[in-house]
Amino acid sequence: MAVDCDISRCFPSIYTHALDWAILGKEKAKRNTNGTECRWSHELDQRTMNTTNGETHGLLIGPHTSNLLAELILTRIDAALFEKGYRFLRHIDDYRCYVDSKERARSFILDLETELDLYGLSVNQKKTRVWDQPSASLDDWVRILKNAFPHKPLLDKGDVERFLDTAIVAAKESGSGSALAYAFGMLSKSRMNHWARKYYGDIALHLAYTQPYLLPFVEERVIMAAKIPSKRIEIFSNLLLDKSIEERDYLSASYAIYYAMRYGFALALLESAEAASVLEETRDCVLCTCALVYSRRRQNKALRNKLISYAKELAKTEGDFQRNWLFVYEALPIDQIPKEYLSGAWRAIKRKGISFIDTIRIEEPPRNNESIEDVIDALAEQLSDDGEVGADRASDRSTNEL
């Protein structure tokens, strides 16, 4: 069995100060602000910043020197993983680790995420996969899905069920999550009757819950196409948030918060008294930013005030600010952000009240509601004498079974 992982936007995400951390260790590097502990590592940090106009994030893509600089950090991560017993291959920012169980594969992913986070990097969830047999070629699974797709003007539940079964098998045999995403795309462009949509929505949400790489496709290819009611999205999102926090999959947790804002419901964890402490423990910039926007939209003053207090703490040290600049920028007014951290064009942007949060998308009218015509069609199907709908309803599975 093997697990494949990829570092998300590796070179653009590398924090130049992390070079000093990798060379000296984080605590010693913090004392090396003027090169007193190690002159050459301090100069390396400064000269790397000069290649990107003084920015502390990002290495130039292309020069061999960037590969060398990245290796200073990545070899530290390699050593930490090796000490934990993992034996793996790495080509620049792509990992392949051979393990003897799914539990060990999951442990590798979590430990890799932890080590990357120490240097401000993260795993690309879309490219993470665990597989236990040789992969089929791209042409194989695409051809299988195209041949299996029911080319009918209106799909019923049986059509959707058979096609999804084929897609699940194709994804397992190929070891590629792209097969399921491709299948979702095919179904989203097809007309389905009420029971077909309901079945598709339930199964697709279950697959996204267990395989988070599908989450980027859920809204357009599943929620809108299957016209999933907001209550079912609420159940799914609450379960997803709890699971993702427990598994330290903070990107998936951010999707759960997005769905809550988009479809207008509360998340139990974020409404609880321990919400702020849970978020602080994650030390995840994007997740905390999403929670901040959620607290404002839900008028949750307790959570909002605690997140603002956390942002003030992060603003006290340059390293914490640089790793969480988006969260601090969105949480605090300009006079509470140290000038040396937010200067020049950034300060002008903040003064203009510009936000990096796309609230327009959140505020768009949801397109997950069934029309009157859909309801009439569903009733007609229910009253039909062919018995198909009765069988469909008897075998129907709900999102509660997640």
Side-chain angles (χ1 to χ4, degrees), residues 176-220:
S176 172
S178 299
L180 286 173
Y182 190 82
F184 288 1
M186 295 177 75
L187 285 171
S188 68
K189 297 174 184 176
S190 305
R191 289 189 65 229
M192 294 176 275
N193 69 23
H194 172 82
W195 304 109
R197 287 195 304 270
K198 189 172 189 307
Y199 178 83
Y200 169 48
D202 287 344
I203 297 302
L205 286 184
H206 177 78
L207 289 170
Y209 176 82
T210 57
Q211 301 177 66
Y213 66 83
L214 292 170
L215 288 171
F217 309 103
V218 162
E219 182 166 30
E220 291 190 2

Side-chain angles (χ1 to χ4, degrees), residues 10-69:
C10 181
F11 281 38
S13 299
I14 286 180
Y15 181 45
T16 62
H17 295 342
L19 297 171
D20 216 9
W21 300 348
I23 295 166
L24 300 178
K26 199 167 187 178
E27 291 305 316
K28 189 174 181 180
K30 287 182 177 180
R31 301 193 300 270
N32 196 41
T33 53
N34 296 313
T36 54
E37 298 285 334
C38 181
R39 185 67 184 174
W40 72 268
S41 67
H42 176 70
E43 289 188 357
L44 183 63
D45 178 2
Q46 297 301 307
R47 293 180 187 275
T48 303
M49 288 172 57
N50 290 342
T51 66
T52 54
N53 297 318
E55 296 292 335
T56 56
H57 276 88
L59 297 179
L60 296 178
I61 297 175
H64 293 306
T65 50
S66 294
N67 292 70
L68 180 61
L69 292 171

Side-chain angles (χ1 to χ4, degrees), residues 15 38 43 59 71 96 104 129 132 141 152 166 169 184 242 249 269 299 334 339 352 358 375 382 389 402:
Y15 181 45
C38 181
E43 289 188 357
L59 297 179
E71 286 299 315
R96 172 167 292 177
R104 186 64 172 166
R129 70 185 182 108
D132 55 8
W141 64 256
K152 296 167 59 176
T166 301
V169 172
F184 288 1
D242 293 344
D249 179 4
L269 177 60
Q299 298 183 351
I334 192 169
K339 293 182 179 179
K352 291 288 186 180
D358 183 8
V375 175
Q382 188 173 2
V389 174
L402 287 171

